[in-house]
Amino acid sequence: MKELGMIVNLRKPAAIEMARKLLRWGNSHGCPFMLPHQEASALTTAGLDDEQWLKTVKLAVVVGGDGTFLRAARYVIGTDIILHGINLGHLGFLASSRPDEYEHDLENILNDNFEVLERRVLKCMLFHDGSPSHKLYALNDIVLTTNAIARLLHIEIRFNLDFFCVLPADGAIVSTATGSTAYALSAGGPVIPPHMDAMILAPLCAHTLYSRPILASENDCISLIPRGASRDLMLTQDGQLAYEVFPGDRIDIKLSRSKKIRTVNLPGKNYLDIVREKLGWGQALNSD
């Protein structure tokens, strides 16, 4: 695979330095990286406009952490571009390769020695006064919260438009399997392998004893409807983009049937290995 692109977290000096190493490596191996204009300008090299980049690149290396990977996913959604992340952040479930492994991993990629994992994304429709106002997609999660300090929300939950409950909580998360190791995990949700077609509904600090995370299938639609008079409601997409929400608005969330994010699955780096490494499962505690 020769049509390689690169997306970089330009706010991290370490990511810029890694990008320069990749540019030198690509040139020496006869597969120069193609850069969008923003990255090209920061790295003082030639770049492509968005349309040309998205049409030409087959696989993009994402240099940064999971936040950079989520930004890259929004950029390439609707294309067949495959993403591979080099982690310069913290946990790095999405950008899972280490900087010291980049040459070995890229050689595997150049030799087509990898598998492609198709990750499902959420399709979210926000309805205001009964009419659609926003359509958005998320690889990790959609979150409904309030901007007000210590303000309790009452969220009506529907499954496939059938009433389920009114949830008193600080908010609610709807997550993909990919996002199960992100915000939903900190809210007590389960860890789900990214190849599973499932959603998680996870309450945020629920003010009840009965509330627990719930799984939904690929055919389900989860609706969130904020009740009450709060004017400080916010809907966030992958923790990066925010939208204003009003009481009575309806947020319909389901797994998209047409859009997926394709990621590299390298030999010897399966999902369970990454979970064990990142979360420390099965590791004995050190004793003094």
Side-chain angles (χ1 to χ4, degrees):
M1 181 172 292
K2 298 292 186 180
E3 300 88 350
L4 298 181
M6 195 192 311
I7 296 173
V8 185
N9 184 345
L10 299 175
R11 293 177 296 179
K12 286 189 175 182
I16 294 174
E17 180 57 32
M18 173 57 65
R20 296 191 190 281
K21 290 181 181 179
L22 291 172
L23 288 175
R24 293 192 292 269
W25 185 93
N27 289 332
S28 67
H29 285 73
C31 54
F33 283 91
M34 291 172 276
L35 303 178
H37 273 311
Q38 188 175 9
E39 278 82 352
S41 177
L43 295 167
T44 61
T45 187
L48 302 175
D49 62 47
D50 288 349
E51 183 178 0
Q52 189 177 4
W53 192 93
L54 292 170
K55 284 183 178 179
T56 308
V57 170
K58 302 299 183 186
L59 185 146
V61 176
V62 182
V63 185
D66 280 355
T68 311
F69 201 99
L70 291 169
R71 176 173 66 85
R74 284 199 308 276
Y75 185 44
V76 306
I77 196 166
T79 74
D80 290 328
I81 295 174
I82 305 166
L83 297 179
H84 169 66
I86 297 178
N87 181 36
L88 293 167
H90 299 290
L91 281 178
F93 278 94
L94 293 170
S96 56
S97 279
R98 296 195 299 266
D100 60 349
E101 301 172 325
Y102 81 90
E103 294 186 73
H104 178 262
D105 290 345
L106 287 176
E107 286 170 1
N108 275 324
I109 289 171
L110 284 185
N111 294 321
D112 291 327
N113 186 24
F114 67 95
E115 296 178 347
V116 176
L117 174 62
E118 292 191 336
R119 298 173 182 262
R120 300 293 295 271
V121 301
L122 297 173
K123 177 183 177 182
C124 174
M125 292 293 299
L126 175 59
F127 293 87
H128 180 66
D129 290 335
S131 299
S133 60
H134 292 289
K135 178 170 69 174
L136 48 142
Y137 295 90
L139 176 58
N140 265 1
D141 47 44
I142 298 291
V143 181
L144 175 64
T145 55
T146 177
N147 285 321
I149 298 175
R151 177 68 61 84
L152 178 67
L153 290 180
H154 287 83
I155 307 170
E156 180 180 332
I157 309 291
R158 297 182 186 178
F159 279 84
N160 305 316
L161 298 182
D162 292 329
F163 176 82
F164 176 61
C165 70
V166 174
L167 175 70
D170 289 356
I173 304 168
V174 179
S175 164
T176 62
T178 293
S180 69
T181 51
Y183 199 178
L185 182 67
S186 67
V191 175
I192 303 177
H195 61 269
M196 288 187 64
D197 297 330
M199 295 183 291
I200 304 167
L201 171 63
L204 281 172
C205 299
H207 293 238
T208 69
L209 294 177
Y210 62 77
S211 180
R212 295 292 184 271
I214 300 174
L215 289 183
S217 80
E218 64 175 323
N219 298 316
D220 287 325
C221 175
I222 299 173
S223 298
L224 309 177
I225 305 172
R227 297 302 184 191
S230 176
R231 293 286 173 174
D232 298 301
L233 305 175
M234 180 175 62
L235 187 73
T236 56
Q237 171 192 10
D238 280 338
Q240 296 185 342
L241 300 178
Y243 305 83
E244 190 175 14
V245 178
F246 299 94
D249 286 357
R250 192 179 86 233
I251 304 153
D252 287 351
I253 307 167
K254 60 179 68 174
L255 289 174
S256 172
R257 296 189 181 277
S258 61
K259 299 186 188 298
K260 297 180 181 180
I261 296 298
R262 308 174 78 214
T263 62
V264 167
N265 212 11
L266 288 166
K269 289 187 179 181
N270 65 40
Y271 178 71
L272 294 178
D273 292 332
I274 294 173
V275 169
R276 185 172 60 249
E277 175 189 351
K278 303 298 182 180
L279 298 183
W281 282 13
Q283 297 179 11
L285 294 176
N286 293 325
S287 57
D288 295 328

